[in-house]
Amino acid sequence: MATTIETQSVDQLGGPGSVLALQRRDHAEMGRLMDRYEALADGAERERVLKDVVQLVFSHAFAEETVLWPAVRRAAADGEELTSRVEEEHQGINDLVTDIERLDPGTAEREEKVRRVFALIRQDIRDEEDHVLPRLQEALDAGRLRRLGAAWETVRRSAPTHPHPVVPRRPPGNVVLGVPLSLYDRLRDGLGLGVSGPWGRRILAGMTGLLVSAAVAVLVRKRS
């Protein structure tokens, strides 16, 4: 039985292009960024680090839900149980970050939610590296892990980078809704747009609503 991927060599994981190695790479970067945030005093640099955490976590999780967890469900007899648990953790992270992005920096309520979401991210990493990904390693050879890694990386690079509570955790709904929201997120990131203040939140809600409505219409049409 495969053990945690945390302590395995890159070769054991299937090479640098394996989805297991790519997952661990992102997890390590998440840990580094969270540690950096916690070490900084309040200020602009701290907010930039938090923004980097959010963008990485959400693009990473979207690619997991789109590419990786369906593969786990196909490959492992207990795949449904394993992926349901991490999907619940992802939803919890989504809800907390949604709240964080609505609160002003430096407030006690916001800092408490940041502490909670960091703890949940760290728990999610452990569940994935210790339980979910070893089951995938048992089922797939190195070549298939590398092909899965290429697909996962492609999706991650074009995935949403912020929380969107309306997006389902599984395909095809997450893909249909995720595409337009990803375009919006990356425009927002590139322009440095924030959502603090009532007008920013109203604009964001309005644009998100339009994008979601259009995507839902496409999904309904595909199902009809």
mmCIF file of all heavy atoms in Angstrom, residues 6 21 38 40 46 79 83 104 126 153 176 203 222:
data_model
loop_
_atom_site.group_PDB
_atom_site.id
_atom_site.type_symbol
_atom_site.label_atom_id
_atom_site.label_comp_id
_atom_site.label_asym_id
_atom_site.label_seq_id
_atom_site.Cartn_x
_atom_site.Cartn_y
_atom_site.Cartn_z
ATOM 1 N N GLU A 6 4.299 12.877 0.913
ATOM 2 C CA GLU A 6 5.094 13.968 1.485
ATOM 3 C C GLU A 6 6.578 13.645 1.508
ATOM 4 O O GLU A 6 7.417 14.505 1.244
ATOM 5 C CB GLU A 6 4.608 14.276 2.907
ATOM 6 C CG GLU A 6 5.382 15.417 3.565
ATOM 7 C CD GLU A 6 4.943 15.659 5.007
ATOM 8 O OE1 GLU A 6 4.351 14.739 5.609
ATOM 9 O OE2 GLU A 6 5.186 16.754 5.513
ATOM 10 N N ALA A 21 3.818 14.882 -8.097
ATOM 11 C CA ALA A 21 4.898 15.842 -7.862
ATOM 12 C C ALA A 21 4.387 17.277 -7.996
ATOM 13 O O ALA A 21 4.783 18.165 -7.222
ATOM 14 C CB ALA A 21 6.046 15.591 -8.833
ATOM 15 N N GLU A 38 2.033 34.824 8.193
ATOM 16 C CA GLU A 38 1.994 34.807 9.657
ATOM 17 C C GLU A 38 3.206 35.482 10.275
ATOM 18 O O GLU A 38 3.138 35.965 11.419
ATOM 19 C CB GLU A 38 1.879 33.366 10.143
ATOM 20 C CG GLU A 38 0.525 32.730 9.797
ATOM 21 C CD GLU A 38 0.488 31.233 9.984
ATOM 22 O OE1 GLU A 38 1.570 30.607 10.052
ATOM 23 O OE2 GLU A 38 -0.620 30.671 10.055
ATOM 24 N N LEU A 40 4.713 38.208 9.000
ATOM 25 C CA LEU A 40 4.725 39.632 8.678
ATOM 26 C C LEU A 40 3.808 40.414 9.603
ATOM 27 O O LEU A 40 2.776 39.921 10.054
ATOM 28 C CB LEU A 40 4.268 39.858 7.236
ATOM 29 C CG LEU A 40 5.245 39.435 6.134
ATOM 30 C CD1 LEU A 40 4.531 39.439 4.784
ATOM 31 C CD2 LEU A 40 6.458 40.360 6.093
ATOM 32 N N ARG A 46 1.926 42.103 3.495
ATOM 33 C CA ARG A 46 1.126 41.022 4.074
ATOM 34 C C ARG A 46 -0.119 40.769 3.220
ATOM 35 O O ARG A 46 -0.495 39.614 2.971
ATOM 36 C CB ARG A 46 0.737 41.384 5.500
ATOM 37 C CG ARG A 46 0.319 40.201 6.373
ATOM 38 C CD ARG A 46 0.271 40.651 7.817
ATOM 39 N NE ARG A 46 0.125 39.523 8.712
ATOM 40 C CZ ARG A 46 -0.959 39.316 9.488
ATOM 41 N NH1 ARG A 46 -1.967 40.166 9.443
ATOM 42 N NH2 ARG A 46 -1.022 38.279 10.290
ATOM 43 N N GLY A 79 -12.898 5.824 -3.725
ATOM 44 C CA GLY A 79 -12.659 7.150 -4.266
ATOM 45 C C GLY A 79 -13.751 8.156 -3.955
ATOM 46 O O GLY A 79 -13.472 9.331 -3.709
ATOM 47 N N THR A 83 -12.838 11.602 -1.991
ATOM 48 C CA THR A 83 -12.987 12.900 -2.643
ATOM 49 C C THR A 83 -14.106 13.725 -2.019
ATOM 50 O O THR A 83 -14.037 14.957 -2.004
ATOM 51 C CB THR A 83 -13.211 12.750 -4.150
ATOM 52 O OG1 THR A 83 -14.379 11.959 -4.394
ATOM 53 C CG2 THR A 83 -12.008 12.103 -4.818
ATOM 54 N N ASP A 104 -12.536 44.302 5.976
ATOM 55 C CA ASP A 104 -11.400 45.211 5.883
ATOM 56 C C ASP A 104 -10.158 44.597 6.514
ATOM 57 O O ASP A 104 -10.249 43.947 7.574
ATOM 58 C CB ASP A 104 -11.718 46.537 6.585
ATOM 59 C CG ASP A 104 -12.795 47.318 5.858
ATOM 60 O OD1 ASP A 104 -12.878 47.194 4.617
ATOM 61 O OD2 ASP A 104 -13.545 48.057 6.528
ATOM 62 N N ARG A 126 -2.848 17.710 4.185
ATOM 63 C CA ARG A 126 -2.518 16.431 4.820
ATOM 64 C C ARG A 126 -3.465 15.327 4.355
ATOM 65 O O ARG A 126 -3.037 14.201 4.094
ATOM 66 C CB ARG A 126 -2.577 16.559 6.348
ATOM 67 C CG ARG A 126 -1.465 17.425 6.924
ATOM 68 C CD ARG A 126 -0.147 16.649 7.178
ATOM 69 N NE ARG A 126 0.298 15.782 6.118
ATOM 70 C CZ ARG A 126 1.023 16.173 5.063
ATOM 71 N NH1 ARG A 126 1.365 17.430 4.926
ATOM 72 N NH2 ARG A 126 1.420 15.301 4.148
ATOM 73 N N GLU A 153 -2.230 20.513 -14.906
ATOM 74 C CA GLU A 153 -1.495 21.779 -14.993
ATOM 75 C C GLU A 153 -2.142 22.725 -16.002
ATOM 76 O O GLU A 153 -2.218 23.934 -15.773
ATOM 77 C CB GLU A 153 -0.039 21.513 -15.370
ATOM 78 C CG GLU A 153 0.853 22.746 -15.404
ATOM 79 C CD GLU A 153 1.313 23.178 -14.026
ATOM 80 O OE1 GLU A 153 0.680 22.818 -13.007
ATOM 81 O OE2 GLU A 153 2.300 23.908 -13.956
ATOM 82 N N VAL A 176 -18.378 24.550 -16.749
ATOM 83 C CA VAL A 176 -19.200 25.525 -17.474
ATOM 84 C C VAL A 176 -19.223 26.870 -16.756
ATOM 85 O O VAL A 176 -19.081 27.931 -17.366
ATOM 86 C CB VAL A 176 -20.623 24.987 -17.665
ATOM 87 C CG1 VAL A 176 -21.518 26.042 -18.290
ATOM 88 C CG2 VAL A 176 -20.600 23.737 -18.531
ATOM 89 N N ILE A 203 -20.517 46.063 -7.565
ATOM 90 C CA ILE A 203 -20.042 45.849 -8.937
ATOM 91 C C ILE A 203 -19.649 44.395 -9.129
ATOM 92 O O ILE A 203 -19.999 43.754 -10.126
ATOM 93 C CB ILE A 203 -18.857 46.780 -9.248
ATOM 94 C CG1 ILE A 203 -19.353 48.234 -9.312
ATOM 95 C CG2 ILE A 203 -18.185 46.398 -10.567
ATOM 96 C CD1 ILE A 203 -18.243 49.253 -9.366
ATOM 97 N N LYS A 222 -27.142 22.504 -22.871
ATOM 98 C CA LYS A 222 -26.423 21.255 -23.148
ATOM 99 C C LYS A 222 -27.186 20.048 -22.621
ATOM 100 O O LYS A 222 -27.114 18.965 -23.192
ATOM 101 C CB LYS A 222 -25.028 21.311 -22.499
ATOM 102 C CG LYS A 222 -24.038 22.190 -23.248
ATOM 103 C CD LYS A 222 -22.644 22.075 -22.640
ATOM 104 C CE LYS A 222 -21.624 22.824 -23.473
ATOM 105 N NZ LYS A 222 -20.253 22.675 -22.929
#
